[in-house]
Amino acid sequence: MSDFLLWLHANYIKPQMSAPAKGSDYALRLELLQSQLEENGLEDLDKALEFTAIQAFLLGLRTGEGLTLSCQ
């Protein structure tokens, strides 16, 4: 992945994902999973979440998701 996408994930996507999710069912399950993993597992989980978030962002760009709402 490009350096820009990794920077974008670290500085924009990851903070946006963690802020509103607190208290949601997904956040609780993720916290439970993180508490069960050892350090190597946490690193793997972080990389998997990073990859998934970047791919979802790129899919949104490719499909133009949300562009019709902002163009009105």
Side-chain angles (χ1 to χ4, degrees):
M1 278 183 244
S2 75
D3 290 338
F4 172 73
L5 289 175
L6 295 174
W7 176 89
L8 184 68
H9 177 266
N11 294 291
Y12 180 73
I13 297 172
K14 189 173 182 176
Q16 291 294 318
M17 286 175 49
S18 62
K22 294 188 187 233
S24 72
D25 187 47
Y26 292 114
L28 295 174
R29 292 176 188 268
L30 188 56
E31 288 175 20
L32 180 63
L33 176 62
Q34 289 171 334
S35 70
Q36 299 294 317
L37 294 175
E38 295 178 9
E39 184 150 348
N40 289 341
L42 285 173
E43 290 174 11
D44 292 342
L45 177 63
D46 285 341
K47 280 296 181 186
L49 291 173
E50 177 183 271
F51 177 79
T52 305
I54 289 173
Q55 295 305 311
F57 175 78
L58 291 174
L59 178 63
L61 284 179
R62 288 186 194 109
T63 60
E65 184 65 34
L67 291 179
T68 56
L69 296 175
S70 63
C71 294
Q72 291 179 352

